[in-house]
Amino acid sequence: MLAVYLSPLYLAVNLYLLHRIFTWLTDIHPFFEKRAVRIVLGICYFFVAFSPGIGFLVPAGTAQRILKGLGYYWMGIMLYTALIVIAADLIRLIVRKVRKKTFHRLRPALAGTICFFLIAAISIYGMFNARFIRITPYEVTIDKKAGNLDSLKIALVADLHLGYSVGTSQMRQMVDKINAQNPDLVVIAGDIFDNEYEALDKPEKLAEILSGLQSTYGTYACYGNHDIQEPILAGFTFPQDGKKMSDPQMDVFLEKAGITLLRDESVLIDDAFYLYGRPDYERPGRGITSRKTPEEITRDLNTNKPVIVIDHEPRELSELSDAGVDLDLCGHTHDGQIFPVNLITNLVWENSCGYLQKGSMHNIVTSGVGVFGPNMRVATKSEICMIDVRFQS
């Protein structure tokens, strides 16, 4: 329903932007005053602007992939176009009101050109920045004995969002960078998929690439709120009959990729430490009506050994700490992904990205590898968190 309510606003913003584009082009050359030219440009503009909706309506296939991919790029471009054009109009109004000799009104052609290059620079940077995965190091100490281990090197990733925007090239880069770090353990903290299994381009190849992850103890994962099968349009989901659940093909994919999925369960690794994978807070998935509480997680565990939890959303941090969890690894927030959304996430989450200590528990939230919605990152980064854990000797 939110998508329906916001659609008039989306249309109004695009009409405003198209009006401003025509003003700029007309000032550049009289050719753009012609009615036929404006009609053609308007059709092209609205085809791009409504490509997310058109892609949602057409059958699955190449055309749908192209349209949805175009739509994800457009969402980011439109955001910065709107922000910059509105800012330029506000500046123009202020300059007109001041009317001092020290101010000179920029002609629409020059003002529009400046706006164009700003929009292009930010958008292109955001697109390339989203595809470049960085390594973020952390060091934590757990004051417990872990069998014969005195340290553990964990590669934490999350929010791959495999689908229309993220595919084989990003996964190959991620696998190569993780393997170069020689981790003992690889964990994926949810949102492996981007809601629609059909969105995967070359799923067999993707599974083969992910199966190349190398570590001492293997690769483990939990599901996130997007690891379910549901129709999605520009980030909005639609009502369905019955419970929203992951597609069984997703489970098969993980098996082929050599990834062990933990569904509200723990595994004791090397008789040294526990790894617990929690279902998503909002959508726990098939066979799970409600996930276990932090107290229930550790009730049957020997908490003299280190307890490491992977949980998609960084929630219940105090409760997990009180229950005896030592290290909580999360994703979900994307660190806001694009400016100025990253300013909002800092207000919403106790730890929106990075490190936080709650009592004796360490919480680390990664900004993620992939993207959701706009296919770009501005003022944030795609990352692999490499965590050096030290134990009591």
Side-chain angles (χ1 to χ4, degrees), residues 193-239:
F193 304 97
D194 203 11
N195 293 88
E196 301 170 301
Y197 184 81
E198 293 75 17
L200 268 64
D201 187 24
K202 304 175 183 176
E204 296 293 332
K205 187 63 178 178
L206 278 169
E208 180 187 340
I209 292 169
L210 289 171
S211 69
L213 285 166
Q214 299 170 5
S215 64
T216 307
Y217 300 117
T219 304
Y220 293 83
C222 67
Y223 273 158
N225 59 305
H226 287 285
D227 293 314
I228 57 172
Q229 188 71 16
E230 62 179 346
I232 188 166
L233 169 61
F236 296 99
T237 57
F238 292 82

Side-chain angles (χ1 to χ4, degrees), residues 351-368:
N351 183 20
S352 64
C353 188
Y355 174 82
L356 176 71
Q357 184 163 353
K358 294 290 290 186
S360 60
M361 185 187 80
H362 309 279
N363 171 245
I364 295 175
V365 180
T366 175
S367 64

Side-chain angles (χ1 to χ4, degrees), residues 34 39 83 93 100 155 166 196 236 248 287 292 322 349 359:
K34 296 180 179 179
I39 290 173
L83 290 175
L93 290 172
K100 290 183 178 180
V166 181
E196 301 170 301
F236 296 99
K292 293 179 183 177
D322 293 341
W349 299 96

Side-chain angles (χ1 to χ4, degrees), residues 283-294:
R283 295 162 181 172
R286 296 196 312 277
I288 302 172
T289 50
S290 61
R291 66 178 188 170
K292 293 179 183 177
T293 66

Side-chain angles (χ1 to χ4, degrees), residues 131-133 168-177:
R131 290 178 171 270
F132 180 66
I133 304 171
T168 55
S169 61
Q170 291 100 317
M171 289 302 97
R172 190 174 288 108
Q173 181 189 171
M174 182 191 79
V175 169
D176 289 345
K177 290 191 173 183

Side-chain angles (χ1 to χ4, degrees), residues 88-352:
D89 276 351
L90 288 174
I91 292 170
R92 178 172 57 87
L93 290 172
I94 292 170
V95 169
R96 276 184 175 180
K97 195 168 183 66
V98 171
R99 291 182 179 277
K100 290 183 178 180
K101 292 182 179 180
T102 53
F103 288 93
H104 299 280
R105 180 173 177 268
L106 291 172
R107 289 184 60 79
L110 179 57
T113 301
I114 292 171
C115 289
F116 171 80
F117 280 107
L118 276 173
I119 294 163
I122 293 172
S123 299
I124 293 170
Y125 162 76
M127 293 172 192
F128 280 96
N129 186 45
R131 290 178 171 270
F132 180 66
I133 304 171
R134 297 166 175 83
I135 302 290
T136 304
Y138 292 93
E139 291 184 4
V140 299
T141 300
I142 296 176
D143 192 23
K144 291 181 181 179
K145 289 188 177 181
N148 296 321
L149 299 179
D150 57 9
S151 65
L152 182 72
K153 193 172 188 179
I154 303 174
L156 165 65
V157 293
D159 302 285
L160 309 186
H161 285 281
L162 299 177
Y164 297 108
S165 298
V166 181
T168 55
S169 61
Q170 291 100 317
M171 289 302 97
R172 190 174 288 108
Q173 181 189 171
M174 182 191 79
V175 169
D176 289 345
K177 290 191 173 183
I178 288 175
N179 289 346
Q181 297 294 315
N182 296 313
D184 297 309
L185 179 69
V186 179
V187 296
I188 306 175
D191 278 4
I192 301 161
F193 304 97
D194 203 11
N195 293 88
E196 301 170 301
Y197 184 81
E198 293 75 17
L200 268 64
D201 187 24
K202 304 175 183 176
E204 296 293 332
K205 187 63 178 178
L206 278 169
E208 180 187 340
I209 292 169
L210 289 171
S211 69
L213 285 166
Q214 299 170 5
S215 64
T216 307
Y217 300 117
T219 304
Y220 293 83
C222 67
Y223 273 158
N225 59 305
H226 287 285
D227 293 314
I228 57 172
Q229 188 71 16
E230 62 179 346
I232 188 166
L233 169 61
F236 296 99
T237 57
F238 292 82
Q240 293 176 259
D241 295 331
K243 183 181 177 183
K244 295 180 178 181
M245 299 183 294
S246 57
D247 189 320
Q249 294 179 93
M250 295 177 179
D251 299 352
V252 174
F253 176 92
L254 294 185
E255 289 178 13
K256 290 180 179 178
I259 299 170
T260 301
L261 179 64
L262 297 177
R263 296 178 181 272
D264 224 357
E265 57 189 331
S266 67
V267 58
L268 178 59
I269 296 177
D270 200 18
D271 197 32
F273 64 93
Y274 292 100
L275 180 66
Y276 196 101
R278 302 192 77 187
D280 184 65
Y281 175 85
E282 300 172 65
R283 295 162 181 172
R286 296 196 312 277
I288 302 172
T289 50
S290 61
R291 66 178 188 170
K292 293 179 183 177
T293 66
E295 286 185 355
E296 291 172 330
I297 285 175
T298 58
R299 182 176 296 163
D300 297 324
L301 305 183
N302 178 6
T303 53
N304 290 323
K305 297 179 186 291
V307 178
I308 301 171
V309 168
I310 46 175
D311 190 2
H312 180 58
E313 300 184 29
R315 296 177 180 267
E316 302 178 311
L317 302 187
S318 296
E319 293 85 348
L320 287 167
S321 175
D322 293 341
V325 173
D326 300 291
L327 179 60
D328 182 39
L329 306 176
C330 309
H332 183 65
T333 68
H334 292 224
D335 193 21
Q337 189 170 313
I338 54 176
F339 177 86
V341 182
N342 55 335
L343 303 179
I344 299 171
T345 56
N346 288 330
L347 301 175
V348 173
W349 299 96
E350 183 177 7
N351 183 20
S352 64

